[in-house]
Amino acid sequence: MTILGIESSCDETTAAVVVDGTKILSNVIATQIPFHEKYQGVVPEIASRKHTEWILPVVKQALEEADCTLDSIDGIAATNRPGLMGALLIGLTFGKTLAWATGKPFIAVNHMLAHLYAAHLSREIPYPYLGLLVSGGHSIICKVSGFDEIEVLGTTIDDAAGEAFDKVAKFYGFGYPGGVAIDTLAKNGDPKAARFPIPKINGLGHEYDVSYSGLKTAAINQIDQFWNEGYERTPENIAAAFQETAVTILLTRLFKAVENTGLTTIVAGGGVAANTRLRALLEKRTDLTCIFPPLKLCTDNGAMVAGIGYQYLSKEITSPWTVNTSARVEGFRKFGRR
Ligand code: KG4
Ligand code: ZN
């Protein structure tokens, strides 16, 4: 079964052709990073306009690179939530229209399910496992019992992990996107340069919830208070110390979930899953099986959307033409706080 997957939830216009949910024939990713760089953040209006310009050539290129025509496509999948409304509307409307015009089944895809599925594109992973979904908009620790059976155990009570990387990088002028800039700088810095506090959620959230606003404030406004004597205040040291705490916040909660659920397989997904330090610290836990998607599949891509599309279509589940976009993640089976 050959699926065309379309993704336009944020700042990448991307389309892919995937066979049977695993064999990637093409995965074209047109990144808008240079257009948002001068604003040091994604500008929704610019994102929508670029998706409008690029969606057709990107889909055409995905079909060409896969060496197939629309005739050989069995179904079309597009992200419909969560994300920027204007951006989502372009991929969703394009996908629905193409499916309607060619008489193909259409499947609307939850972006977060797709991020988790990215690791499944390159290998078979038995359920259940613990999922770590960390991106610019989400920080979710979840129990995953099937491709669309996600039980959220913990989430952020304020900023998402990627958002914290982006905001700290923006403040210090480290570069854009912030996560990549901090990851790169941190390689030449000392994580012990500062001792930022690990937040105690203290009744504000649930056992596995995380919080990033305190770390963000500490790293931006109160760095003197947490800086260790004898360390030079270089971008590399700031990045390394911030990153160490950001990653530790996630891992302390995740390891608690490992202890309490007894699940020893962890699958990561989302842009922050590309973080080198997060990967290194997880891989140190030799008692756990930690699975990361290849770097190119961590950030937004059409292949992961096609993968979820295949999972639904092979169970004969399609979406109605009336399916709409949503900025939020809720509404999928078991997704959301229960
Ligand atoms: O999944 P993604 O491409 O888009 C969303 O769905 O949000 O994730 C983008 C986020 C950004 O916040 C970016 O700074 C972060 O992922 N990111 C990283 C790294 N690469 C991307 N964060 C930390 N380390 C990285 N290497
Ligand atoms: Zn994403």
Side-chain angles (χ1 to χ4, degrees):
M1 198 182 274
T2 307
I3 307 288
L4 171 67
I6 297 169
E7 154 63 44
S8 71
S9 66
C10 191
D11 58 347
E12 333 275 359
T13 316
T14 151
V17 177
V18 177
V19 178
D20 293 342
T22 51
K23 192 170 174 221
I24 303 174
L25 298 187
S26 65
N27 192 18
V28 177
I29 303 170
T31 180
Q32 303 178 0
I33 286 172
F35 298 92
H36 300 284
E37 195 163 10
K38 72 171 166 184
Y39 307 99
Q40 296 284 300
V42 178
V43 182
E45 179 63 19
I46 294 176
S48 304
R49 283 168 190 261
K50 285 291 152 201
H51 286 311
T52 310
E53 271 175 44
W54 290 353
I55 190 88
L56 184 58
V58 163
V59 169
K60 271 188 173 166
Q61 194 180 329
L63 290 168
E64 269 166 32
E65 285 184 18
D67 206 15
C68 70
T69 62
L70 279 172
D71 287 342
S72 43
I73 297 292
D74 298 302
I76 297 173
T79 305
N80 80 317
R81 70 175 67 196
L84 301 170
M85 287 297 267
L88 284 165
L89 268 170
I90 290 142
L92 179 71
T93 310
F94 188 93
K96 280 203 285 189
T97 309
L98 194 59
W100 182 79
T102 53
K104 313 275 178 194
F106 177 75
I107 310 104
V109 169
N110 178 322
H111 186 72
M112 303 316 287
L113 296 187
H115 267 308
L116 261 186
Y117 191 81
H120 292 255
L121 286 161
S122 31
R123 58 178 288 184
E124 208 164 301
I125 308 169
Y127 298 103
Y129 58 73
L130 283 174
L132 179 65
L133 272 170
V134 274
S135 68
H138 295 273
S139 310
I140 293 173
I141 293 170
C142 50
K143 181 178 172 189
V144 186
S145 308
F147 81 94
D148 68 341
E149 284 180 59
I150 314 260
E151 185 187 343
V152 176
L153 302 176
T155 185
T156 180
I157 60 164
D158 39 56
D159 293 346
E163 197 179 348
F165 273 89
D166 293 338
K167 285 179 177 165
V168 170
K170 181 176 180 178
F171 177 81
Y172 286 105
F174 287 163
Y176 180 82
V180 183
I182 288 183
D183 196 351
T184 310
L185 281 170
K187 289 193 171 74
N188 296 312
D190 191 331
K192 292 192 286 300
R195 192 186 295 272
F196 296 121
I198 303 282
K200 290 190 180 59
I201 309 273
N202 281 347
L204 282 173
H206 288 204
E207 200 176 0
Y208 308 107
D209 280 350
V210 297
S211 161
Y212 278 99
S213 72
L215 172 61
K216 186 186 64 187
T217 308
I220 291 176
N221 300 323
Q222 303 162 340
I223 196 156
D224 289 337
Q225 219 175 302
F226 301 105
W227 202 256
N228 283 328
E229 244 178 72
Y231 287 93
E232 217 184 315
R233 189 81 63 85
T234 59
E236 289 81 3
N237 281 343
I238 296 171
F242 163 79
Q243 177 177 269
E244 194 69 11
T245 314
V247 165
T248 305
I249 288 173
L250 282 176
L251 293 185
T252 47
R253 300 301 193 282
L254 181 67
F255 293 153
K256 199 176 225 193
V258 168
E259 256 173 57
N260 293 350
T261 62
L263 294 170
T264 54
T265 299
I266 291 163
V267 176
V272 183
N275 187 265
T276 338
R277 188 66 183 146
L278 178 73
R279 287 176 174 241
L281 288 176
L282 267 173
E283 273 156 12
K284 267 193 188 171
R285 285 285 303 253
T286 48
D287 56 326
L288 306 176
T289 307
C290 298
I291 305 170
F292 296 92
L295 285 183
K296 199 183 167 189
L297 298 178
C298 281
T299 45
D300 296 348
N301 65 87
M304 64 186 192
V305 176
I308 290 289
Y310 165 77
Q311 291 298 328
Y312 280 123
L313 199 55
S314 58
K315 290 161 192 66
E316 295 180 7
I317 298 169
T318 59
S319 303
W321 299 122
T322 49
V323 67
N324 213 335
T325 52
S326 168
R328 294 159 69 85
V329 79
E330 282 85 352
F332 272 68
R333 190 147 70 105
K334 286 190 181 174
F335 222 124
R337 177 64 51 73
R338 294 199 304 164

